[in-house]
Amino acid sequence: MKTPTICQLLLEDKTANNITVQGWVRSFRSNRFIALNDGSTGQNLQCVVEFEQYDPALLKKISVGAAVKLTGDITESEGAGQKYELKVSEITVYGTSDPETYPIQPKKHSLEFLREKAHLRVRTNTFSAVMRLRSRLAYAVHHYFTTQSFYYVHTPIITGSDAEGAGEMFRVTTLAPQNPPLNEEGKVNYKEDFFGKETNLTVSGQLEAETYAMALGKVYTFGPTFRAENSNTSRHLAEFWMIEPEVAFNDLWDNMDLAEDFIKYVINDALTHCKEDLIFLESRLLEEEKTKPQADRSELSLIEKLKFVTENKFIRLSYTEAVEILMQSTPNKKKKFQYPIEGWGVDLQSEHERYLVEKHFKCPVVLYDYPAEIKAFYMRLNEDQKTVRAMDILFPGIGEIVGGSQREERLDVLEQRMEALGIDPKELWWYLDLRKFGTAPHAGFGLGFERLVLFVTGMTNIRDVIPFPRTPQNAEF
Ligand code: 4AD
Ligand code: MG
């Protein structure tokens, strides 16, 4: 049966006869007013039931969480709070919902409580708004790249190379864990495994995307990636989605331009197409901020913050300049950083990144030209022989949202870097082939999709912007 969604009905903005809607009951007041939600919008449709006309046994079945079909006329509402309402003439209850045991009651639940109910939490205003935004942002990602003439590449989820160095990997195997076949050295014989070698879940689609950039020119991947790091933070997931464009003939500056333009585009798209959900999330955040001490409250509202990012140029500065600023910073001098900045060459921790973005510049920051030692083997070595053409984009409240680089296209330099880092060239023979056959400058980056969704929705924990988060000790659902 084709029925309009509540979103469509409200957009039509007019009265209508004999309309059927289907959804879930958000509340049922005075045996008369059903607030119906079908997920198409954050707004509920007020449905008015003349209870005298119905069997009390039927009405008893209507409680919070029940799935119903309601038919009637859309009329102008007599009550305050909504323009239209449905005068119900026919009720079908698809499924009841026991009010004693249904966890999602029309009251405020903590996000921690809702995480335990991840299969039901999307029935709340907050999570439905977040997930509608997530969906729109994913669409905007594809739209952006498609209109910029990029091709979408599906890089493998199961990978045979473990040399990417982006993090700990999850092994993929069909061998019996209790008694796997052993080789002569007494080690597990992966030759007998499904793929005849050790395989893992991918940590990034970059290396494979590079092969496609060297033929299709402008490509991107957008898929799940997996990291078995034991990072129990509000910014890390073991399974997350990453967007990785890779462009032939781009240098580091083109790469920064692309990243900045791309981020601004998708945020603008959300501002245009998800206004209602953003207004709701903004008010949610405002409430949450009220519980914090004044000093920790954000100066900008959610929508102001998003507009600030789309309307201002990101600050660009080298790692060396950033270290200078950090060395001279008050928290460093007063030994307030957990990891004090003692000199050039140290890896920046999120406390340092956040200081730069939130306190010093108060603006997104692109850091580039990092020390070679703290970055991956594939990043292009600079003439100083000390730094590589890396760039990270740091966002307020998030820290690193993008990591990327111009890639090392010179075979001899790449081989030296791999040797220095103990990466077996035999493992990545196909990657080295790219440098043997028509090598060219190229660059790309990875944007963590959940970190983007975090930023846009104003949520504070990454577990709340993906339907079923995977984190250490947590893979329920
Ligand atoms: O900086 P990373 O590790 O870069 C790469 O993987 C490169 N291969 C990307 C490329 O150049 N094509 O990760 C990229 C981004 C980070 O900036 C961050 O936003 C996100 O991925 N990210 C995570 N997001 C959630 N949970 C985690 N555990 C993440 N690790 C990285
Ligand atoms: Mg990184």
Side-chain angles (χ1 to χ4, degrees), residues 227 375 392 400 402-404:
R227 297 194 185 175
K375 289 291 185 187
D392 277 5
E400 180 190 332
V402 162

Side-chain angles (χ1 to χ4, degrees), residues 338-356:
Q338 194 187 341
Y339 300 91
I341 299 278
E342 272 149 14
W344 195 91
V346 292
D347 203 356
L348 301 184
Q349 304 295 325
S350 86
E351 56 178 347
H352 309 128
E353 298 176 340
R354 293 184 70 163
Y355 172 82
L356 288 170

